[in-house]
Amino acid sequence: MARDFHINGESMVYVKGRAASGLGSLVELGLSSDAINVTPEFKHKEIIVDAWGEVPVDVQWMLASLTININLIHFDRDVLDACIRESMGGPAVVGQVGRAGIRLGNNGVRFADTNKYVGLNIASPQDSKPWRFFFTYLTGQPATFPLGTEKSIVKTTWRVIPYT
């Protein structure tokens, strides 16, 4: 592979989830207003043995998660609402809160009725390699909605985990 500038270009965000969520087929969530930030968070664990003092004799890879920040400018509010509901464990409508402790994966396979994780896909006409994340959910402050007389750029924060 040759070294070159990498320009992703504009990005369309697609999502897919379980059929009962309203996300049963691959649907457009929306177009990003600017760069999408994908940030991996690697996890390692040092192996410490007394014979080596205070430095590790080796390091174990302990998986990773990712945080994805997407600012949406041209988006489908119903699809975003479905993603918010799934990330909250699947209440009937946005604004309702389910009970605490609901597991998003719930030991279910991808797209099973018990699995609330959402597949997140980022595609660009410039980039030949789309980004695909199988098990995502909106996290932290999941979405910020600026309300006013100007365009609304909704900021979303996604987390990707290695669910199996």
Side-chain angles (χ1 to χ4, degrees):
M1 181 165 126
R3 185 174 60 88
D4 197 359
F5 291 106
H6 184 81
I7 301 170
N8 197 71
E10 63 275 16
S11 296
M12 178 61 73
V13 179
Y14 298 89
V15 291
K16 185 174 193 270
R18 62 190 182 99
S21 69
L23 303 172
S25 62
L26 190 66
V27 293
E28 290 183 355
L29 172 57
L31 186 65
S32 66
S33 65
D34 52 9
I36 294 174
N37 293 310
V38 178
T39 308
E41 184 180 343
F42 289 179
K43 299 292 184 180
H44 294 91
K45 187 170 187 173
E46 296 181 347
I47 299 173
I48 304 292
V49 296
D50 189 51
W52 286 80
E54 295 183 16
V55 296
V57 67
D58 204 347
V59 177
Q60 290 178 288
W61 166 252
M62 301 303 283
L63 299 179
S65 64
L66 292 100
T67 300
I68 303 172
N69 294 305
I70 305 172
N71 296 328
L72 298 167
I73 187 152
H74 193 269
F75 61 95
D76 186 325
R77 179 67 192 268
D78 291 333
V79 173
L80 182 56
D81 284 351
C83 293
I84 291 171
R85 285 194 315 273
E86 290 299 276
S87 298
M88 294 175 66
V93 296
V94 171
Q96 284 185 340
V97 178
R99 64 173 178 74
I102 296 172
R103 291 170 41 203
L104 298 184
N106 200 25
N107 207 31
V109 297
R110 191 169 184 222
F111 307 133
D113 193 45
T114 58
N115 189 321
K116 309 290 192 292
Y117 289 116
V118 175
L120 181 72
N121 301 279
I122 303 169
S124 169
Q126 299 282 342
D127 194 357
S128 62
K129 294 182 180 181
W131 292 75
R132 297 182 67 211
F133 307 99
F134 296 134
F135 299 103
T136 72
Y137 60 97
L138 289 162
T139 189
Q141 295 177 333
T144 302
F145 294 88
L147 305 177
T149 59
E150 293 185 23
K151 66 191 175 300
S152 290
I153 298 175
V154 175
K155 298 177 181 181
T156 62
T157 303
W158 298 81
R159 186 163 189 226
V160 183
I161 65 164
Y163 175 81
T164 56

